[in-house]
């Protein structure tokens, strides 16, 4: 059991912000800063004092609040060495570790959606911040990398323990679940999850965080090796990367 406290809150149209707080040492970090007002309100709501911002990637809907949040809180900004991310105080890359909130945070590079994408894994708390790499029953669109690169990135996350809590950049879950049914519609875990997600969204509740174990059972983007999905796609003898690429392409065209 970890002592860390997690506060997830909606921002913009469908983004999530997250604050992580160590009540013992007092440090608090924000994952990205999608919207300054929402992050500052979350800090007022929790009473936590922001000390750090961990940046996942350079897209506006993840960094546009950084300048103001940093100016108002003095937080130290840590992220990938990307020319389009201003205000960085420290850059990190694959394999680096960050000592923060009383834990070791491991930096995992997951290029594909963007080339600079970093995810942050807290082994002790069993949580990962997946940015726009992995979503509930989905994955990020491949804007800057290649599908094969994205598949390699997803495999890094698939290797994390199944109990790992996964915090994602967006609430795309319901649309992802409906797409997932088009390639894996007989999967009982997926059918059950679609019903759960529909109920949560109808009640205005978040569907995140998810867990790696649940994603491995229900996320078709992680299930390229699954025999039923392969049969559904007519790709029994293709490589896992090819099956992933086909599923990503169908979602993009859908
Ligand atoms: Zn993005
Ligand atoms: Fe995004």
């Amino acid at each position: 059991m970890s002592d860390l406290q997690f506060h997830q809150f909606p921002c913009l149209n469908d983004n999530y912000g997250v604050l992580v707080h160590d009540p013992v040492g007092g440090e608090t970090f924000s994952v990205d800063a999608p919207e300054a007002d929402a992050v500052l309100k979350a800090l007022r709501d929790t009473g936590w004092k922001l000390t750090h911002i961990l940046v996942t990637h350079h897209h506006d809907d993840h960094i546009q609040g950084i300048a103001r949040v940093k100016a108002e809180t003095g937080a130290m900004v840590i992220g990938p060495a990307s020319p389009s991310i201003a205000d960085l105080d420290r850059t990190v890359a694959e394999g680096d570790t960050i000592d923060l909130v009383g834990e070791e945070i491991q930096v995992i590079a997951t290029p594909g959606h963007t080339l600079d994408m970093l995810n942050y894994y807290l082994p002790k708390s069993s949580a990962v911040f997946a940015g726009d790499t992995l979503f509930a029953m989905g994955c990020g669109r491949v804007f800057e990398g290649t599908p094969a690169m994205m598949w390699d990135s997803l495999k890094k996350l698939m290797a994390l323990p199944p109990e790992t809590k996964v915090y994602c950049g967006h609430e795309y879950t319901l649309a992802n679940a409906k797409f997932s049914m088009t390639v894996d519609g007989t999967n009982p875990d997926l059918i059950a999850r679609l019903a759960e997600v529909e109920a949560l969204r109808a009640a205005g509740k978040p569907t995140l965080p998810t867990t790696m174990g649940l994603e491995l059972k229900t996320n078709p983007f992680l299930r390229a090796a699954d025999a039923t999905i392969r049969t559904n796609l007519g790709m029994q003898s293709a490589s896992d990367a090819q099956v992933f690429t086909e599923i990503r392409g169908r979602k993009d065209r859908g």
Side-chain angles (χ1 to χ4, degrees):
M1 275 299 290
S2 160
D3 297 320
L4 295 185
Q5 296 171 271
F6 293 71
H7 178 65
Q8 177 181 261
F9 52 95
C11 310
L12 304 174
N13 286 331
D14 51 31
N15 283 74
Y16 280 120
V18 190
L19 298 177
V20 179
H21 176 68
D22 171 18
V24 177
E27 286 182 322
T28 301
F29 70 83
S30 173
V31 181
D32 295 327
E35 184 181 11
D37 284 338
V39 175
L40 294 168
K41 179 179 183 300
L43 288 165
R44 285 194 303 273
D45 289 347
T46 55
W48 300 339
K49 185 187 175 318
L50 193 71
T51 54
H52 297 78
I53 300 172
L54 301 188
V55 185
T56 60
H57 67 298
H58 70 82
H59 283 160
D60 273 351
D61 63 306
H62 297 259
I63 66 170
Q64 61 195 5
I66 290 176
R68 209 176 119 219
V69 171
K70 180 179 180 177
E72 297 205 11
T73 63
M76 178 182 184
V77 182
I78 303 174
S82 179
S84 33
I85 304 174
D87 306 299
L88 284 171
D89 297 297
R90 176 183 167 192
T91 61
V92 288
E94 167 73 23
D96 286 347
T97 58
I98 304 165
D99 286 316
L100 189 58
V101 292
E103 295 196 14
E104 177 188 88
I105 300 178
Q106 297 177 359
V107 178
I108 305 173
T110 58
H113 176 74
T114 62
L115 294 178
D116 66 350
M117 180 72 75
L118 297 181
N119 294 167
Y120 299 97
Y121 175 49
L122 284 66
K124 192 169 156 227
S125 284
S126 204
V128 68
F129 297 96
D132 287 358
T133 297
L134 178 63
F135 298 122
M137 294 171 278
C139 75
R141 258 183 194 258
V142 181
F143 286 121
E144 295 179 5
T146 64
M149 183 188 286
M150 186 61 147
W151 175 243
D152 285 340
S153 292
L154 290 170
K155 280 197 288 186
K156 292 183 183 176
L157 299 179
M158 290 161 71
L160 300 178
E163 66 272 19
T164 307
K165 291 177 289 293
V166 184
Y167 287 85
C168 311
H170 293 268
E171 175 67 60
Y172 291 157
T173 310
L174 183 54
N176 286 342
K178 288 175 179 169
F179 168 77
S180 298
M181 289 293 290
T182 69
V183 293
D184 195 19
T186 56
N187 177 345
D189 294 317
L190 176 57
I191 293 166
R193 193 177 182 192
L194 171 61
E196 284 168 23
V197 163
E198 281 175 331
L200 284 170
R201 294 311 290 159
K205 290 180 181 161
T207 63
L208 295 164
T210 176
T211 65
M212 275 316 305
L214 185 54
E215 293 313 308
L216 288 169
K217 283 194 244 174
T218 58
N219 186 330
F221 295 92
L222 307 184
R223 292 165 53 74
D226 181 77
T228 304
I229 291 179
R230 286 167 159 263
T231 302
N232 293 343
L233 298 176
M235 297 183 77
Q236 290 88 336
S237 56
S239 70
D240 290 349
Q242 286 170 325
V243 174
F244 167 77
T245 300
E246 173 62 22
I247 296 171
R248 186 60 260 176
R250 286 181 183 225
K251 178 74 162 60
D252 293 343
R253 294 188 295 271

